[in-house]
Amino acid sequence: MTQHIGIVGCSAEGASLCYQTICVEGAKFLGPHAHPEVSMHTPSLSDYMEHIYRDDWRGVGEVMLASAHKLAKIGANFLVCPDNTIHQALPFIEGRSPLPWLHIAECVAEEAVQRGFRRIGITGTRWLTDSEVYPEKLSARGLQYVRPTFEERDEIARIIMEELVYGVFKPEAIGTFQRVMQRMKDEEGCDAVVLGCTEIPLIMSDANSPLPTLDSTRLLARAALRRATRKG
């Protein structure tokens, strides 16, 4: 018996990649064409952004909690949220959640330790890179971290919110990420980089990054698969 995975979606592109990864890679655990039962609830992204623009993280948490209750009612056993930014709202509602959650940054930190990385660059939205979501989880595992410069944060945030969440992928965006990652490697001594927005893996990977990548979207999906199939 496998467990039923509940996906609390935020932006469509990131949620879609998480869902697709669970369904496609489920065969590695369960056999050809097989994957655990998986359900996703996604309110309008504007419902989240209304609170995020006001810096109202408790309000963000309430939107997440509403999805959690809906997924619990249809039989989900645990929850994942394929959105790094809104994880900073999780502490406000986790104690009232009807189901347990996997934390995306914990999945990334665990992978970084297993691969022997020590100093991690963080990329993502401005809200994410300004927050303690990754610093807290990386530090807890004895890992160092580097945030982008303020100018880099602004440009990365623009790319994410004006392009990637709409499925727009430009060569110029790839170039921006490559320059940021190269600087983190050369000037900051990073030995890996977190793709800390669930859309970034749509344009960046080990194939075109100057640093080894920690793909938060797929790492969360794989952690959900292990939990659902009780394999690790």
Side-chain angles (χ1 to χ4, degrees):
M1 295 291 292
T2 60
Q3 291 191 326
H4 181 167
I5 302 170
I7 300 177
V8 174
C10 181
S11 61
E13 293 288 342
S16 298
L17 180 57
C18 182
Y19 171 79
Q20 180 187 54
T21 302
I22 289 170
C23 293
V24 171
E25 297 193 12
K28 297 177 183 177
F29 296 87
L30 300 172
H33 310 300
H35 59 76
E37 185 174 4
V38 55
S39 298
M40 178 162 59
H41 179 262
T42 312
S44 172
L45 178 57
S46 66
D47 293 350
Y48 279 114
M49 298 312 302
E50 176 184 353
H51 296 290
I52 291 173
Y53 286 136
R54 297 201 307 262
D55 202 31
D56 175 17
W57 296 100
R58 291 183 182 275
V60 171
E62 294 304 315
V63 181
M64 298 171 73
L65 188 61
S67 285
H69 281 293
K70 290 175 181 178
L71 290 164
K73 286 180 180 179
I74 61 173
N77 296 112
F78 68 93
L79 303 170
V80 297
C81 177
D83 187 283
N84 289 272
T85 293
I86 67 173
H87 268 72
Q88 58 196 291
L90 190 56
F92 295 120
I93 55 95
E94 198 165 11
R96 293 183 285 132
S97 175
L99 296 171
W101 300 67
L102 297 184
H103 194 292
I104 196 167
E106 289 179 353
C107 298
V108 170
E110 180 179 355
E111 176 75 6
V113 169
Q114 290 180 354
R115 293 174 64 181
F117 299 131
R118 299 183 60 83
R119 189 169 174 83
I120 315 299
I122 303 170
T123 62
T125 66
R126 182 65 185 262
W127 300 288
L128 185 279
T129 52
D130 285 351
S131 78
E132 296 304 310
V133 170
Y134 274 96
E136 179 183 272
K137 300 303 182 183
L138 294 173
S139 296
R141 301 299 294 268
L143 301 169
Q144 298 176 335
Y145 61 88
V146 172
R147 304 177 198 258
T149 67
F150 291 118
E151 292 79 10
E152 290 168 345
R153 296 180 209 188
D154 287 342
E155 180 57 15
I156 289 172
R158 187 199 64 77
I159 290 169
I160 292 169
M161 298 306 298
E162 295 182 10
E163 298 175 13
L164 301 188
V165 298
Y166 292 112
V168 176
F169 312 126
K170 297 181 178 180
E172 295 83 0
I174 295 172
T176 295
F177 277 100
Q178 288 173 328
R179 286 191 295 274
V180 172
M181 293 170 181
Q182 189 69 56
R183 188 195 63 78
M184 287 179 164
K185 178 181 180 180
D186 295 341
E187 298 181 14
E188 303 283 359
C190 291
D191 54 7
V193 61
V194 178
L195 306 183
C197 166
T198 48
E199 284 81 21
I200 296 175
L202 297 169
I203 62 169
M204 297 302 300
S205 68
D206 285 349
N208 63 358
S209 169
L211 284 167
T213 61
L214 294 161
D215 180 340
S216 63
T217 317
R218 292 184 174 94
L219 289 174
L220 179 66
R222 290 163 188 159
L225 278 169
R226 290 193 297 272
R227 177 161 181 157
T229 59
R230 302 185 184 278
K231 297 183 185 294

